[in-house]
Amino acid sequence: MTLTHEQITELIPAFALDCLDDEETVAVTEHLPGCAACRAELESYQSTVDRLALAVPEVSPPPELQGRLMARVRPAAPVPPPAVPWWQKLAAQLRTTAPVWGAAALLVLLALGVSNLYLRQQLTDLQRPAMVDTMRTVSLRHTQPDSQATGIIIVSTDGEYGALIVEHLYPLPENQQYQLWLIDDNDTRISGAVFSVDDDGYRSVQIEEAPLPLEHYTRFGITVEPAGGSPGPTGQRVLAGSM
Amino acid sequence: MDFSTLSDESLLALIARRRPEALEELYRRYSRMVYSLAIRMVAEPSVAEEITLDVFTRVWDKADSYRASRAQVNTWLTRIARNHAIDTLRRQNTRAAHVAGHWTDAEINAIPAKNNPEETTQLQLQRARVRAAVAQLPDNQRQALSLAFFGGYTHHQIAQTLNQPLGTVKTRIRSALKKLRHILSDDE
Ligand SMILES: [Zn+2]
């Protein structure tokens, strides 16, 4: 399509608005490099079209859009390493840092375990060589498909003292509590602790004195029981582990 | 550095040097303007949000090419926004003419909102001027212009939509823009 300068000039406003059909768009585009007058005209109309953008009702974008923008443009943060449950770190440290371990260390552990957050802050302090290598630990794994629960049992070498630490167990209604079962090779089940968890599903407790040294028990389970506990497990099992 | 006191051009210079705070400040100034245009064109909030994100992401990526364009920064932003929105509309090919077609009296008579402290008085004045200019257009010119500007319709599509001869539509659009250019240039 070949058009005269006069015809092109008539098309410039619509070209600025981007509403010409393809052939006219091409005709104007090819005319522009050779015609300063039409280029000036285009610039002038372009400015008019630009200003139309201001004649719209004002609507604020949702506030979170700015965060989405900044997340897009900021270089991706390094991927954090997979979260290791604090007790695994603790157990690893305790296993490797010292040769001697006894009731004192366990009590320290329990004292620290009063608050999950507080314990995390104290982890570095525990790198002192005063604490333990010779204890035994048993990891407890959740037995329900959608559970995040984890737990660990720590037993002193002499089998006299034990502690249980759990994380991410669902808080229970008031009329229910969790109960730890110590299981020996004859499948005899002895209550090891009756406990509730805090809002984060966390709790650390000392294991009750059992008829036999703790090392005698090779399997452990935690069930949901009526408040105060049961003589034997009756409810749903939520955590389990074995030596 | 207090980014809120910097000119738009300085912000772009800092954006070109990868300073996120400068982009944040530019976003504070113009996100409302960009989003308002986008949602007027595409109607769907989630699409308008995407367009807004694309505009400012592009600013982040292309800030160093801005100097060549010579436009005001806010103009540059709305051009990108409108081009994005038109692309979206033409891809969808399902524009609602009733949305794009009416540049309502309520819209052009709206008093520019005062509740955006980040937006300069100058920009608010510009809004008022442009609305007043659009208000002076005859209804049929305003309608054709609206279909082209907001809907991304071509002459042919507008003629079909309005069931008017092609020549009539071309004349309406041309007359509308001539008149707007005249009114707005008087203001400067
Ligand atoms: Zn020419």
Side-chain angles (χ1 to χ4, degrees):
Chain A
M1 185 188 280
T2 305
L3 299 174
T4 65
H5 167 75
E6 282 70 28
Q7 289 170 312
I8 295 287
T9 306
E10 290 291 281
L11 294 177
I12 294 289
F15 183 82
L17 195 58
D18 193 16
C19 69
L20 290 176
D21 297 306
D22 289 349
E23 288 186 359
E24 291 170 328
T25 301
V26 169
V28 175
T29 304
E30 290 182 350
H31 176 82
L32 284 172
C35 181
C38 282
R39 287 201 301 275
E41 189 77 345
L42 175 60
E43 194 170 320
S44 158
Y45 275 111
Q46 186 68 63
S47 149
T48 303
V49 170
D50 287 338
R51 294 167 76 175
L52 285 178
L54 293 173
V56 297
E58 295 162 77
V59 186
S60 292
E64 73 272 11
L65 199 61
Q66 181 172 356
R68 286 172 60 194
L69 170 69
M70 300 318 291
R72 251 194 210 188
V73 304
R74 283 203 166 102
V79 180
V84 177
W86 62 268
W87 52 261
Q88 276 186 3
K89 293 186 215 162
L90 176 62
Q93 277 167 347
L94 291 177
R95 262 196 302 274
T96 57
T97 45
V100 183
W101 192 64
L106 179 56
L107 292 175
V108 168
L109 176 71
L110 291 173
L112 292 176
V114 166
S115 151
N116 194 343
L117 178 66
Y118 181 66
L119 184 67
R120 285 171 199 270
Q121 289 167 347
Q122 297 302 313
L123 274 176
T124 46
D125 290 346
L126 285 171
Q127 281 166 343
R128 291 169 309 194
M131 318 264 306
V132 214
D133 167 39
T134 47
M135 65 179 188
R136 298 182 306 153
T137 61
V138 179
S139 290
L140 303 182
R141 296 179 193 288
H142 60 81
T143 54
Q144 302 298 318
D146 55 347
S147 171
Q148 302 287 315
T150 54
I152 190 172
I153 287 174
I154 304 171
V155 180
S156 64
T157 359
D158 57 11
E160 256 190 86
Y161 297 94
L164 164 71
I165 302 170
V166 295
E167 250 193 338
H168 304 308
L169 276 177
Y170 286 108
L172 293 172
E174 265 183 33
N175 60 352
Q176 292 185 322
Q177 281 188 297
Y178 291 107
Q179 191 163 7
L180 168 70
W181 301 99
L182 317 175
I183 309 165
D184 67 17
D185 288 338
N186 301 320
D187 275 351
T188 307
R189 286 164 165 79
I190 303 290
S191 176
V194 178
F195 61 95
S196 302
V197 296
D198 66 17
D199 291 343
D200 295 328
Y202 169 80
R203 183 65 191 274
S204 85
V205 289
Q206 189 156 4
I207 296 173
E208 293 159 14
E209 208 168 306
L212 296 166
L214 284 173
E215 61 199 351
H216 181 76
Y217 301 93
T218 53
R219 286 177 293 150
F220 305 89
I222 292 175
T223 57
V224 177
E225 300 295 336
S230 305
T234 63
Q236 192 181 48
R237 193 169 62 154
V238 293
L239 282 171
S242 56
M243 284 300 196
Chain B
M1 188 179 293
D2 182 1
F3 288 83
S4 67
T5 61
L6 297 178
S7 70
D8 293 349
E9 289 74 17
S10 299
L11 289 178
L12 279 180
L14 291 175
I15 290 168
R17 300 176 69 177
R18 321 316 279 163
R19 297 292 305 274
E21 302 93 328
L23 183 68
E24 276 178 331
E25 176 58 27
L26 197 76
Y27 180 91
R28 271 193 286 275
R29 288 182 197 176
Y30 296 121
S31 57
R32 184 183 171 95
M33 184 188 74
V34 167
Y35 183 77
S36 300
L37 175 62
I39 201 163
R40 177 63 178 82
M41 293 180 71
V42 301
E44 174 62 37
S46 64
V47 181
E49 288 169 26
E50 256 336 287
I51 290 172
T52 305
L53 287 179
D54 285 347
V55 168
F56 286 94
T57 306
R58 172 140 171 208
V59 168
W60 180 253
D61 292 335
K62 307 272 182 198
D64 49 359
S65 73
Y66 161 73
R67 243 159 293 173
S69 81
R70 280 193 301 169
Q72 280 182 13
V73 173
N74 61 359
T75 300
W76 191 52
L77 297 178
T78 51
R79 269 187 206 173
I80 302 173
R82 183 164 175 262
N83 288 340
H84 265 280
I86 288 181
D87 285 350
T88 305
L89 291 169
R90 288 186 179 163
R91 257 202 317 275
Q92 289 175 342
N93 210 17
T94 53
R95 277 154 291 172
H98 64 277
V99 175
H102 295 281
W103 206 322
T104 64
D105 289 344
E107 282 177 21
I108 54 183
N109 292 331
I111 297 160
K114 288 266 165 60
N115 58 348
N116 181 13
E118 309 293 347
E119 201 165 81
T120 60
T121 313
Q122 192 200 358
L123 195 56
Q124 291 178 6
L125 281 176
Q126 280 187 31
R127 283 187 192 285
R129 269 188 212 142
V130 177
R131 283 177 191 169
V134 171
Q136 293 182 47
L137 297 176
D139 277 348
N140 58 16
Q141 288 182 16
R142 209 160 71 197
Q143 187 182 30
L145 185 65
S146 176
L147 284 166
F149 185 78
F150 293 129
Y153 285 72
T154 64
H155 278 151
H156 273 105
Q157 291 169 324
I158 296 168
Q160 275 175 359
T161 304
L162 297 180
N163 201 20
Q164 295 284 333
L166 182 61
T168 304
V169 167
K170 287 183 174 182
T171 304
R172 283 181 190 171
I173 297 239
R174 189 169 57 240
S175 304
L177 283 175
K178 275 186 178 170
K179 181 158 188 176
L180 286 177
R181 177 170 75 159
H182 177 71
I183 299 169
L184 292 172
S185 67
D186 277 359
D187 282 346
E188 276 166 3

